[in-house]
Amino acid sequence: GTLDTDKFSLVKKEVVIDPNPPIATSTPTSTPPIATSTPTSTPPVVSGNPIPNPSLEEVSSTPTLPLHWRSVKTGNNNAKFTYLNTGHTGTRSLKVEITKFTSGLAYYRFDSAPVIENKTYDFSFYHKSDTYSEIDAEITLENGDIVYQYLGVTYPSADWTLFSTRIRMPENAKSVSIYTILYAKGSIVTDDYALTPVTIVPLSRPIISLTYDDFFNSMYDTLYPMFREKGFAGTIYLTTKDLGL
């Protein structure tokens, strides 16, 4: 095969260091579809949490849906959406289940919540599931464009489990909706969503990270005692073959 490239660039840019960035554990399987329905009213902000009806307790005019939430299904699957009468803290939660799957995905989403551009937020919710799911953020910009951010995955759990991560809104961000996507057979129950603004405190002094590739015996025999003597910590990458492992 062939590969054509052109116009490479390297640009100096100042960045803000996030001391607790989210750790992505997989690659998004697909680009989530853009929901076309429009909220009928502006949802209230609950205790600094812009997510509308975050505990799912308020029922909409459609009894099978919480207020300010809706379900989305694409592709060839038999996704079932259930507004349960049990919950993590209250009496309601949401369940998505797929028992026959060929393609597509299924999820619940909340009406877009207002956010501040270039602001960092902590996002969390509780879940119970028997499969993996993907967490994606749909961010609407001031000009109407939509960008997506991959936030991570949930793992199977028989008991209520907290998923939490951190997301930084891009420049010109206006609002966001975040959803837990099923893209295979299985089910997930979710409740108690939260999106909380975070103030990043700058480091009080310069900090460096020490990393060493290709760890040999000499690194343990010579370098490690030096680390201990100086009180340093570092990351050392093992070459297992050379260590006889």
Side-chain angles (χ1 to χ4, degrees):
T2 61
L3 173 66
D4 296 330
T5 60
D6 193 10
K7 296 182 179 180
F8 290 84
S9 66
L10 181 65
V11 181
K12 180 181 180 181
K13 185 178 180 181
E14 293 185 358
V15 298
V16 178
I17 299 175
D18 189 338
N20 298 295
I23 300 174
T25 54
S26 68
T27 302
T29 58
S30 61
T31 300
I34 301 173
T36 56
S37 58
T38 303
T40 56
S41 62
T42 301
V45 176
V46 180
S47 302
N49 178 9
I51 296 177
N53 194 13
S55 61
L56 313 170
E57 299 298 308
E58 298 180 75
V59 184
S60 70
S61 57
T62 303
T64 57
L65 282 173
L67 186 64
H68 299 302
W69 289 74
R70 55 193 183 274
S71 59
V72 178
K73 170 186 173 296
T74 69
N76 183 10
N77 60 75
N78 69 338
K80 179 181 178 182
F81 300 91
T82 309
Y83 188 21
L84 299 176
N85 289 313
T86 60
H88 171 248
T89 56
T91 60
R92 307 307 292 258
S93 59
L94 292 172
K95 181 178 182 180
V96 183
E97 182 176 21
I98 297 177
T99 57
K100 294 182 181 179
F101 179 86
T102 301
S103 63
L105 44 82
Y107 58 90
Y108 279 102
R109 60 168 291 153
F110 54 83
D111 294 340
S112 293
V115 293
I116 301 172
E117 65 173 337
N118 299 319
K119 184 69 174 177
T120 299
Y121 291 80
D122 281 335
F123 171 71
S124 65
F125 66 94
Y126 284 85
H127 69 92
K128 294 193 296 185
S129 60
D130 58 12
T131 189
Y132 300 90
S133 66
E134 178 177 304
I135 318 302
D136 290 339
E138 176 189 298
I139 304 170
T140 303
L141 306 182
E142 290 287 351
N143 64 1
D145 289 347
I146 292 177
V147 296
Y148 295 94
Q149 285 193 32
Y150 166 76
L151 301 184
V153 297
T154 63
Y155 297 90
S157 175
D159 299 319
W160 285 110
T161 302
L162 177 67
F163 172 89
S164 62
T165 189
R166 185 161 285 182
I167 175 174
R168 181 175 174 81
M169 297 300 162
E171 186 175 358
N172 297 319
K174 178 182 179 181
S175 61
V176 66
S177 187
I178 303 174
Y179 23 86
T180 305
I181 300 173
L182 276 190
Y183 47 84
K185 291 182 181 179
S187 65
I188 185 169
V189 179
T190 62
D191 194 8
D192 291 337
Y193 288 74
L195 185 67
T196 307
V198 176
T199 299
I200 303 299
V201 179
L203 299 174
S204 60
R205 58 186 176 84
I207 292 179
I208 64 172
S209 297
L210 301 175
T211 62
Y212 296 88
D213 289 335
D214 303 330
F215 185 95
F216 299 105
N217 290 346
S218 60
M219 292 235 180
Y220 182 81
D221 297 334
T222 304
L223 181 63
Y224 181 58
M226 295 172 61
F227 266 49
R228 295 190 63 181
E229 179 184 353
K230 301 296 183 179
F232 291 165
T235 301
I236 300 175
Y237 298 91
L238 300 177
T239 306
T240 54
K241 180 181 178 181
D242 294 326
L243 295 177
L245 301 176

Coordinates of all heavy atoms in Angstrom, one line a residue, residues 35-42 68 70 109 111-112:
A35 N -28.9 13.3 18.9 CA -30.3 13.3 19.1 C -30.9 14.6 18.6 O -30.4 15.6 18.7 CB -30.6 13.1 20.6
T36 N -32.1 14.5 17.9 CA -32.7 15.6 17.2 C -33.8 16.3 18.0 O -34.3 17.3 17.6 CB -33.2 15.2 15.9 OG1 -34.1 14.1 16.0 CG2 -32.1 14.7 15.0
S37 N -34.3 15.6 19.1 CA -35.4 16.2 19.8 C -34.9 17.4 20.7 O -33.7 17.5 21.0 CB -36.0 15.2 20.7 OG -35.1 14.6 21.6
T38 N -35.8 18.3 21.0 CA -35.5 19.5 21.7 C -36.2 19.6 23.1 O -37.3 19.3 23.1 CB -35.9 20.8 20.9 OG1 -35.2 20.7 19.6 CG2 -35.5 22.1 21.6
P39 N -35.4 19.9 24.1 CA -36.1 20.0 25.4 C -37.3 21.0 25.4 O -37.2 22.0 24.7 CB -35.0 20.6 26.4 CG -33.7 20.2 25.6 CD -34.0 20.3 24.2
T40 N -38.4 20.6 26.1 CA -39.5 21.5 26.1 C -39.4 22.6 27.1 O -40.1 23.6 27.0 CB -40.8 20.6 26.5 OG1 -40.5 20.0 27.8 CG2 -41.0 19.5 25.5
S41 N -38.5 22.6 28.0 CA -38.3 23.6 29.0 C -36.9 23.6 29.5 O -36.2 22.7 29.3 CB -39.3 23.5 30.2 OG -39.0 22.3 30.8
T42 N -36.5 24.7 30.1 CA -35.1 24.8 30.6 C -35.1 24.0 31.9 O -35.7 24.4 32.9 CB -34.7 26.2 30.8 OG1 -34.7 26.9 29.6 CG2 -33.3 26.3 31.4
H68 N -36.8 15.3 31.5 CA -35.6 15.8 30.9 C -34.6 14.7 30.5 O -33.5 14.9 30.3 CB -34.8 16.8 31.8 CG -35.6 18.0 32.2 ND1 -36.1 18.9 31.3 CD2 -36.0 18.5 33.4 CE1 -36.8 19.8 31.9 NE2 -36.7 19.6 33.2
R70 N -34.3 11.0 27.8 CA -34.9 10.3 26.7 C -34.0 9.1 26.3 O -32.8 9.1 26.6 CB -35.2 11.2 25.5 CG -34.0 12.0 25.0 CD -34.4 13.0 24.0 NE -33.4 13.8 23.4 CZ -32.8 14.9 23.9 NH1 -33.2 15.3 25.1 NH2 -31.9 15.5 23.3
R109 N -30.1 9.5 27.6 CA -29.3 10.8 27.7 C -30.2 11.8 28.3 O -31.4 11.8 28.2 CB -28.9 11.2 26.3 CG -30.0 11.5 25.3 CD -29.6 12.2 24.1 NE -29.2 13.6 24.4 CZ -28.4 14.3 23.7 NH1 -27.7 13.8 22.7 NH2 -28.1 15.5 24.1
D111 N -31.2 16.0 28.8 CA -31.2 17.2 28.0 C -29.9 17.9 28.3 O -29.4 18.0 29.5 CB -32.4 18.0 28.4 CG -33.7 17.4 27.9 OD1 -33.7 16.5 27.1 OD2 -34.7 17.8 28.5
S112 N -29.3 18.5 27.3 CA -28.0 19.2 27.4 C -28.0 20.2 28.6 O -28.9 21.0 28.8 CB -27.6 19.9 26.1 OG -27.4 18.9 25.1

